């Protein structure tokens, strides 16, 4: 082990800044805190932004978890009150306000 506690990393090595890295971390943190809406808002990311397969996979799994949680919340709302869940003025979904 190196002094920094990571194999292959020297004590003075800095972490390279990568676009989207903080946003990806934010997605995971907000999902863990059950703040799914904020997690999805922070997740405007693309796999091309990440250089490694591990980061691309993390993006996929974190976003899948957030979308799954969002779907569960919407289904719970629909089961509790279908009319309220369909009301576009409450959900912010313009496509559900059709005739």
């Amino acid at each position: 082990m190196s002094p920094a506690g990571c194999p292959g990393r020297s004590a003075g090595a800095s972490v390279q800044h990568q676009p989207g890295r903080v946003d990806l971390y934010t997605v995971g943190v907000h999902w863990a805190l059950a703040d799914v809406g904020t997690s999805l808002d922070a997740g405007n990311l693309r796999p091309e932004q990440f250089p490694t397969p591990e980061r691309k996979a993390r993006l996929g799994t974190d976003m899948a978890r957030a979308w799954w949680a969002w779907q569960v919340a919407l289904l719970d709302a629909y089961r509790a009150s279908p009319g309220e869940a369909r009301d576009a003025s409450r959900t912010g979904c313009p496509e559900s306000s059709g005739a």
Side-chain angles (χ1 to χ4, degrees):
M1 279 283 185
S2 69
C6 297
R9 182 171 291 168
S10 65
S14 65
V15 176
Q16 182 184 23
H17 175 71
Q18 297 169 356
R21 184 178 231 169
V22 173
D23 289 337
L24 181 57
Y25 179 77
T26 301
V27 169
V29 167
H30 285 287
W31 176 80
L33 295 172
D35 186 0
V36 179
T38 303
S39 182
L40 292 173
D41 285 342
N44 191 14
L45 301 166
R46 297 177 317 281
E48 308 85 58
Q49 291 177 278
F50 302 98
T52 64
E54 294 82 7
R55 292 266 182 221
K56 292 175 185 184
R58 174 54 62 118
L59 170 64
T61 56
D62 284 358
M63 291 306 296
R65 287 180 190 132
W67 281 111
W68 175 80
W70 187 257
Q71 178 185 1
V72 169
L74 288 175
L75 287 172
D76 288 346
Y78 182 79
R79 287 181 189 120
S81 179
E84 290 294 315
R86 286 189 198 123
D87 186 355
S89 66
R90 295 189 189 282
T91 63
C93 298
E95 62 273 1
S96 64
S97 63

